Amino acid sequence: MTTRRSMLGVLGALPVAASATLATAGSAYADTGSGALGPGGEFDRFVAGLAARDEFSGNVLVTRHGRTVLARSYGWADRARGVRNSPDTRFAMASVTKLFTAVAVARLAQDRKLYYKSTIGEYLDGFAPAVADHVTVHHLLTHTSGLGDYMQAPGFWDVAATWASAGQMLAGPLGFIRAETPAFAPGAGMSYSNSGFHVLGAIVAKAAGSSYYDYVRTAVFERAGMAATEFAAKPEFSTDRRFAHPYPTAADGTRSDDVAGRLYQGTPSGDAYTTCRDLDTFARALLGDRLLEPAFTRLTLNGKVLLPSPPGPPPATSRLRTAMQAYGPVAALVTDEWVVGHGGGSPGESTSLDMYTGSGWVVTVLANYDNAAQAVAMAARDLIKA
């Protein structure tokens, strides 16, 4: 899953107060970057160089207004079987999956089946009163609930390794989350929370009256037209040649296939599988108000809470003016434009989706090496906003 540091590394953060309102249709932006990001351009050469040094394995897709500017695939999906990454390869998304959970929440809110001010206890039982009665959907979406990361709980990985069904993957983590002691009172701080987004998935299931997986499939994947996106289970993603295996980096710098060490299935906090083209399709559907009514699109994507940033003034050359946590994504004001998206990462996975809300760019990076997507996304941003 992604960390707060990896998200800020992609989108950045400066402590400048701002109202995070997205650009409206028809906003004018200079047509910069097309040549530099196209075939043979500076960006293409940069990514090729990373791949040549074995620092990048995965897919990159850059589009503008729905038109492909650059599409590249590098490295191996399954080295042992000689399967190379291709445009159709499906990668584990890590925490970019949280965008799907956020849209599912917004869709249910739009349909008046849940409310952002509602507390956990209105949907789920078994939580301590300090959590059940005071942590709201808003807190969960903005990482201000005080909940942490269930995967860091003692004994989690030993127990999780025994799970072998979708039901266990959803119910199992809740037991660990219910036992958490919040780090702070709701709204009194901010800490990136996989636990919070898993709870959101359970709330989605309760409010929708169906499983989380079924609801996201119909309300997000099918509605957007994402035919290659799914919460694939281990028997499929470990054997099907369409899925990229993860290659984490060991302490000595070597990489090995770790698909056997993956959990049975992804969750509301991470590890759906997708292609670059499908993730670009999702971005276009979201920005085009095809997943949500316009008001709920804006509500989901507009910034809510300033993100923490390093002390001291930003570099004079920085294009990043501020970054805010939205309802799922991060919204960053880069020069004169809001860039909305999410990053993700875990051993053998590195992902990024950046949506440039005024100029029409979408940059998608899916990699099966750790720490591989951030540099690619940042290089694209520097050229787009040059």
Side-chain angles (χ1 to χ4, degrees), residues 151 199 267 283 336 343 351:
M151 289 178 283
V199 171
T267 69
D336 59 347
T351 59

PDB file of all heavy atoms in Angstrom, residues 151 199 267 283 336 343 351:
ATOM      1  N   MET A 151      -2.462  -3.650   8.654  1.00  0.00           N
ATOM      2  CA  MET A 151      -1.418  -4.585   8.229  1.00  0.00           C
ATOM      3  C   MET A 151      -0.187  -4.538   9.127  1.00  0.00           C
ATOM      4  O   MET A 151       0.672  -5.420   9.050  1.00  0.00           O
ATOM      5  CB  MET A 151      -1.033  -4.307   6.771  1.00  0.00           C
ATOM      6  CG  MET A 151      -2.122  -4.716   5.800  1.00  0.00           C
ATOM      7  SD  MET A 151      -1.716  -4.357   4.081  1.00  0.00           S
ATOM      8  CE  MET A 151      -2.017  -2.586   4.065  1.00  0.00           C
ATOM      9  N   VAL A 199     -12.495   0.220   6.420  1.00  0.00           N
ATOM     10  CA  VAL A 199     -13.788   0.458   7.066  1.00  0.00           C
ATOM     11  C   VAL A 199     -14.766   1.083   6.069  1.00  0.00           C
ATOM     12  O   VAL A 199     -15.951   0.731   6.044  1.00  0.00           O
ATOM     13  CB  VAL A 199     -13.614   1.351   8.313  1.00  0.00           C
ATOM     14  CG1 VAL A 199     -14.970   1.778   8.865  1.00  0.00           C
ATOM     15  CG2 VAL A 199     -12.823   0.611   9.387  1.00  0.00           C
ATOM     16  N   THR A 267      -8.338  -5.448  -1.410  1.00  0.00           N
ATOM     17  CA  THR A 267      -9.334  -4.963  -0.459  1.00  0.00           C
ATOM     18  C   THR A 267      -9.717  -3.525  -0.805  1.00  0.00           C
ATOM     19  O   THR A 267      -9.150  -2.943  -1.735  1.00  0.00           O
ATOM     20  CB  THR A 267      -8.767  -4.996   0.968  1.00  0.00           C
ATOM     21  OG1 THR A 267      -7.741  -3.985   1.072  1.00  0.00           O
ATOM     22  CG2 THR A 267      -8.179  -6.361   1.322  1.00  0.00           C
ATOM     23  N   ALA A 283     -10.268   7.649 -15.293  1.00  0.00           N
ATOM     24  CA  ALA A 283     -10.022   9.081 -15.096  1.00  0.00           C
ATOM     25  C   ALA A 283     -10.933   9.915 -15.987  1.00  0.00           C
ATOM     26  O   ALA A 283     -11.517  10.918 -15.544  1.00  0.00           O
ATOM     27  CB  ALA A 283      -8.554   9.400 -15.378  1.00  0.00           C
ATOM     28  N   ASP A 336      -0.539  26.739 -12.025  1.00  0.00           N
ATOM     29  CA  ASP A 336      -1.855  27.346 -12.183  1.00  0.00           C
ATOM     30  C   ASP A 336      -2.957  26.307 -12.361  1.00  0.00           C
ATOM     31  O   ASP A 336      -4.055  26.645 -12.803  1.00  0.00           O
ATOM     32  CB  ASP A 336      -1.846  28.288 -13.398  1.00  0.00           C
ATOM     33  CG  ASP A 336      -1.478  27.570 -14.690  1.00  0.00           C
ATOM     34  OD1 ASP A 336      -0.987  26.420 -14.616  1.00  0.00           O
ATOM     35  OD2 ASP A 336      -1.656  28.158 -15.775  1.00  0.00           O
ATOM     36  N   GLY A 343      -1.083   7.976  -5.489  1.00  0.00           N
ATOM     37  CA  GLY A 343       0.042   7.092  -5.708  1.00  0.00           C
ATOM     38  C   GLY A 343      -0.123   5.839  -4.879  1.00  0.00           C
ATOM     39  O   GLY A 343      -0.959   5.777  -3.977  1.00  0.00           O
ATOM     40  N   THR A 351       2.694   2.548  -8.279  1.00  0.00           N
ATOM     41  CA  THR A 351       1.640   3.008  -9.181  1.00  0.00           C
ATOM     42  C   THR A 351       1.367   4.491  -9.001  1.00  0.00           C
ATOM     43  O   THR A 351       1.615   5.061  -7.935  1.00  0.00           O
ATOM     44  CB  THR A 351       0.333   2.226  -8.932  1.00  0.00           C
ATOM     45  OG1 THR A 351      -0.071   2.408  -7.563  1.00  0.00           O
ATOM     46  CG2 THR A 351       0.524   0.746  -9.192  1.00  0.00           C
TER      47      THR A 351
END
